[in-house]
Amino acid sequence: MELIERIKNDLKENLTEYRYMHSLGVMEMAEELAKIYNVDVESARIAGLLHDIAKEMTKEESLEYVEKNKIAIDEVEKINVSLLHGKIGAHIAKTLYDVSEQIQKAIEYHTETSPNMDELAKIIYVSDKIERNRKSEKFDLDAERELARKDLDGA
């Protein structure tokens, strides 16, 4: 079975329908942006699908996971445990699907960003915010989507 299909099946079984649909939306937006910015489309699709694989873990599950797997966390992450889903997701993606380091970093950075973000990581970060299922009262997402197609850093 193709990796993307395997991931989709796993996510469908383990995420809520809302989170699964969001992950598909991020994958589709990441694919679109990858084509515009000459980034590997397959990597963008995989990172987009997997970016929230750990998002629905409880606070206790997250803290237990980082301790068990010796994932370094800082004081801010100890207080805001929901931020850990990027680091945990990157670890799960490597462990379960043997994804590249580039994909792992894109998953890791999609929550807090990093000065070390490459184009793929930027695409996943932006795609998470503007995917087609996303709604917002605070932001004009149509304008943000248009900006992302023209200026990734600006978005």
Side-chain angles (χ1 to χ4, degrees), residues 8-113:
K8 282 182 182 179
N9 289 337
D10 290 350
L11 293 179
K12 195 165 193 164
E13 286 182 24
N14 294 299
L15 297 179
T16 61
E17 183 177 353
Y18 169 81
R19 185 76 46 209
Y20 177 69
M21 295 308 294
H22 169 66
S23 296
L24 291 178
V26 174
M27 177 191 73
E28 291 165 4
M29 181 56 68
E31 178 177 5
E32 179 183 337
L33 294 177
K35 288 175 182 174
I36 293 169
Y37 295 103
N38 294 318
V39 170
D40 183 68
V41 172
E42 188 80 358
S43 295
R45 293 182 79 220
I46 291 168
L49 262 181
L50 289 172
H51 82 286
D52 271 353
I53 193 167
K55 179 78 170 182
E56 295 179 340
M57 292 174 82
T58 66
K59 178 179 180 179
E60 294 75 22
E61 289 169 334
S62 296
L63 291 170
E64 183 179 314
Y65 191 94
V66 295
E67 185 177 331
K68 177 182 173 192
N69 293 285
K70 298 177 176 45
I71 297 171
I73 64 173
D74 61 29
E75 292 304 313
V76 172
E77 292 165 329
K78 286 178 186 172
I79 295 166
N80 275 319
V81 175
S82 66
L83 294 174
L84 291 175
H85 81 273
K87 286 183 175 180
I88 294 170
H91 188 270
I92 291 171
K94 172 64 176 163
T95 304
L96 292 183
Y97 306 108
D98 195 30
V99 301
S100 69
E101 186 174 339
Q102 183 187 31
I103 292 172
Q104 291 172 61
K105 292 294 183 193
I107 295 168
E108 178 180 343
Y109 295 155
H110 92 273
T111 53
E112 298 182 68
T113 73

Side-chain angles (χ1 to χ4, degrees), residues 122-138:
K122 291 174 187 178
I123 285 171
I124 300 308
Y125 178 80
V126 169
S127 295
D128 184 32
K129 309 300 181 255
I130 65 168
E131 59 95 1
R132 64 180 164 79
N133 299 306
R134 194 65 95 167
K135 308 280 187 269
S136 176
E137 298 290 319
K138 296 179 187 174

